[in-house]
Amino acid sequence: MSGLFPDLAKKKWFVPLLLFLIFLIALSSLGKREKTVETALSTEERLAALCNSVKGVSDAEVMITYETTATETFLGRTDTGQSILGVAVVCNGGDDPAIQVVLHELIRSLFSLPSTKISVSGRG
């Protein structure tokens, strides 16, 4: 490094600054992972609350499965994201075919999922 920037190697503040910047980058990537988990949990909780607001549905539990996707950017970085693989709802009233249709349509419209990736069943 002293060959490229000989003046920077002589500065006493350069190495601590570089270490601090590396620490901040590592810390910011940890924060993104925690947000993803929080978002997944709050999405399930919000969907369960929405299902419970449908007439004839109570005590709904929701599970959403995700697939992690990676996309290369033009700068050579890899951005990761998540897409929903499937949604399962278990609730009181979930055995009623009319309620199953309502919940399927609700979930399909929210997440743009095909009906084959949505499961609704009653408690039993």
Side-chain angles (χ1 to χ4, degrees):
M1 190 142 176
S2 61
L4 291 174
F5 304 103
D7 293 335
L8 286 179
K10 295 177 185 174
K11 305 283 184 188
K12 292 182 179 182
W13 54 265
F14 179 71
V15 173
L17 177 64
L18 184 62
L19 292 173
F20 180 72
L21 290 174
I22 291 170
F23 173 74
L24 285 179
I25 291 169
L27 191 61
S28 71
S29 68
L30 288 175
K32 289 179 184 177
R33 288 185 185 140
E34 289 175 9
K35 282 184 182 179
T36 302
V37 171
E38 289 174 14
T39 303
L41 291 176
S42 67
T43 301
E44 288 177 349
E45 291 169 352
R46 290 179 9 197
L47 182 56
L50 188 60
C51 290
N52 283 327
S53 69
V54 172
K55 184 178 180 178
V57 175
S58 65
D59 200 23
E61 289 187 50
V62 174
M63 181 175 187
I64 301 174
T65 57
Y66 294 91
E67 173 182 43
T68 302
T69 57
T71 308
E72 291 265 340
T73 64
F74 65 95
L75 297 175
R77 286 184 37 182
T78 302
D79 288 339
T80 58
Q82 290 185 331
S83 60
I84 295 176
L85 285 178
V87 177
V89 178
V90 176
C91 60
N92 291 332
D95 288 334
D96 183 349
I99 289 177
Q100 288 180 350
V101 169
V102 170
L103 292 179
H104 268 87
E105 286 301 310
L106 179 110
I107 295 166
R108 190 179 65 77
S109 65
L110 282 173
F111 300 113
S112 298
L113 288 174
S115 187
T116 57
K117 295 194 177 223
I118 301 167
S119 174
V120 177
S121 63
R123 292 196 175 276

